[in-house]
Amino acid sequence: MSYKIIVFVKQVPDTQNITGEAMKPDGTVNRAALPAIFNPEDLNALELALQLKDRYGAKVVVGTMGPPNAAEVLRESLYRGADEAVLLTDRAFAGADTLATSYALSCCAKKIGDFDLILCGRQAIDGDTAQVGPQLAEKLNLPQISYVQEVLELDKRHVKARREIDGGYEILEVKLPALMTVINANEPRPQNGRRLMKYKKARTASELAKDHANANYTDAEALAAEQENLAERGLMIYEWTAADAKADPERIGLKGSPTKVKNIQNVILKASESKMIDPTAQGISQLMHELISDHTLG
Ligand SMILES: Cc1cc2nc3c(=O)[nH]c(=O)nc-3n(C[C@H](O)[C@H](O)[C@H](O)COP(=O)(O)OP(=O)(O)OC[C@H]3O[C@@H](n4cnc5c(N)ncnc54)[C@H](O)[C@@H]3O)c2cc1C
């Protein structure tokens, strides 16, 4: 028995290394100015999918919506154990809020088709909303389990998983197909050396055309032949536009995004003044007196 699992992964700006040019005047992220990394919890979602593949047998398809260089997180997923990759890329997707993002990903999932599970990270470290997974489940009319730590059981009809809740955990079982958002509760496996040697050649059609152009190689037939050759060896990364995914142009990108970031402010945290208290009865009594008189206590 084999399953088909889609994992949605996002390339995000490294929020540990924010610079002054991080935001554009329109309030959207200036991705070109920041180093790009694999969203951390999406690595946990991928790891969970690969564990299910090891335990039950599965085809793992990774998908992302992003600019052409987001293909990098797809290649990284292939190095770790994913079987196929899809890049949803089109200028029309730019400026999407969570509503437009989850709609675009729902079109992508429908085009991939015939899936048993969709896994997402709980949250992306740039937008930080944790809305995309749940919204995607709603759009596809799927049962969902959020904050998943571990899958306990999987069969062709159900999945049973343990999810984190405040102060403990909860075990839920839902019917397949289903969507789960995954938290940082496993150790993502490293990239596999043999897979890296194989999949470093994986390309989207645009990347391949760019490689040829950079080499001043303009033979269209040679390009088509190489594309066919890579496809036969499982090394083509699918590249879909909004039209390929049959996405309604009114529901994607800035046009389909009711959320507008009105203002971005830099917050500079300053250490407040510190005060030494003598560890004596008199010091403590004086502190209590001050706390009561400024109404912090009492
Ligand atoms: C400062 C700031 C504030 C913002 N505020 C809002 C806001 O209030 N409301 C709003 O709607 N949008 C907001 N956005 C935009 C929002 O971040 C993006 O629309 C983003 O595409 C989706 O939201 P997220 O990053 O919060 O994803 P989350 O919902 O946190 O992501 C959860 C998971 O969904 C999957 N996922 C998310 N995006 C993609 C993708 N492009 N491709 C593949 N998988 C994906 C991943 O598995 C990810 O782990 C804001 C952006 C910024 C920079």
Side-chain angles (χ1 to χ4, degrees):
M1 201 182 311
S2 182
Y3 297 86
K4 185 160 167 188
I5 305 174
I6 302 176
V7 187
F8 282 118
V9 301
K10 185 179 183 188
Q11 189 183 50
V12 290
D14 185 353
T15 47
Q16 299 289 317
N17 292 298
I18 293 287
T19 64
E21 301 81 42
M23 305 304 296
K24 294 186 206 165
D26 66 359
T28 58
V29 183
N30 184 8
R31 289 174 198 278
L34 295 164
I37 59 167
F38 205 118
N39 182 53
E41 282 180 331
D42 300 355
L43 281 175
N44 298 109
L46 176 62
E47 175 57 29
L48 185 59
L50 296 174
Q51 288 175 8
L52 295 175
K53 177 179 168 180
D54 294 343
R55 272 161 69 186
Y56 302 100
K59 178 175 178 179
V60 175
V61 184
V62 278
T64 193
M65 180 186 87
N69 60 4
E72 218 39 70
V73 287
L74 299 177
R75 260 185 296 276
E76 196 177 330
S77 304
L78 294 165
Y79 301 156
R80 289 172 194 267
D83 300 291
E84 270 181 17
V86 179
L87 173 66
L88 200 57
T89 191
D90 196 315
R91 283 191 179 278
F93 289 129
D97 67 3
T98 61
L99 197 71
T101 301
S102 56
Y103 169 70
L105 296 184
S106 74
C107 297
C108 182
K110 282 182 192 161
K111 185 166 165 73
I112 294 170
D114 209 20
F115 53 83
D116 300 288
L117 277 173
I118 297 181
L119 303 187
C120 292
R122 175 194 54 128
Q123 187 163 330
I125 59 167
D126 53 349
D128 259 352
T129 66
Q131 292 172 359
V132 170
Q135 287 180 351
L136 178 56
E138 285 295 314
K139 291 202 166 58
L140 293 169
N141 204 19
L142 300 176
Q144 58 177 296
I145 310 181
S146 55
Y147 287 74
V148 167
Q149 298 170 319
E150 191 186 356
V151 168
L152 303 174
E153 283 172 29
L154 177 68
D155 61 45
K156 264 293 171 186
R157 288 180 305 141
H158 302 102
V159 60
K160 190 193 272 191
R162 192 176 68 212
R163 71 186 290 265
E164 186 180 82
I165 52 171
D166 269 351
Y169 65 85
E170 185 170 68
I171 292 176
L172 292 187
E173 184 174 305
V174 296
K175 283 188 183 156
L176 296 187
L179 182 145
M180 301 194 290
T181 71
V182 181
I183 60 166
N184 173 17
N186 60 32
E187 185 68 39
R189 68 194 62 191
Q191 300 175 11
N192 173 293
R194 289 176 76 171
R195 294 185 67 90
L196 196 145
M197 292 314 288
K198 175 176 176 186
Y199 286 105
K200 70 179 185 184
K201 299 186 194 94
R203 290 283 179 278
T204 63
S206 308
E207 285 177 322
L208 198 58
K210 213 167 162 189
D211 289 349
H212 276 234
N214 287 343
N216 280 332
Y217 201 46
T218 50
D219 183 342
E221 267 180 38
L223 180 63
E226 189 173 352
Q227 196 166 326
E228 204 177 307
N229 175 277
L230 288 183
E232 271 168 20
R233 292 155 60 207
L235 295 176
M236 279 311 288
I237 294 175
Y238 295 102
E239 188 177 14
W240 295 341
T241 61
D244 293 330
K246 296 193 169 51
D248 176 352
E250 298 298 316
R251 295 182 66 186
I252 57 173
L254 268 181
K255 223 174 183 183
S257 299
T259 312
K260 302 282 176 268
V261 179
K262 281 211 146 173
N263 186 22
I264 302 285
Q265 246 180 312
N266 286 326
V267 179
I268 297 161
L269 300 173
K270 281 192 198 143
S272 58
E273 207 180 295
S274 63
K275 188 172 181 180
M276 295 300 289
I277 306 290
D278 284 340
T280 59
Q282 197 193 353
I284 292 168
S285 156
Q286 194 183 335
L287 173 67
M288 294 301 284
H289 196 76
E290 280 174 26
L291 291 175
I292 290 166
S293 65
D294 73 5
H295 302 293
T296 306
L297 288 182

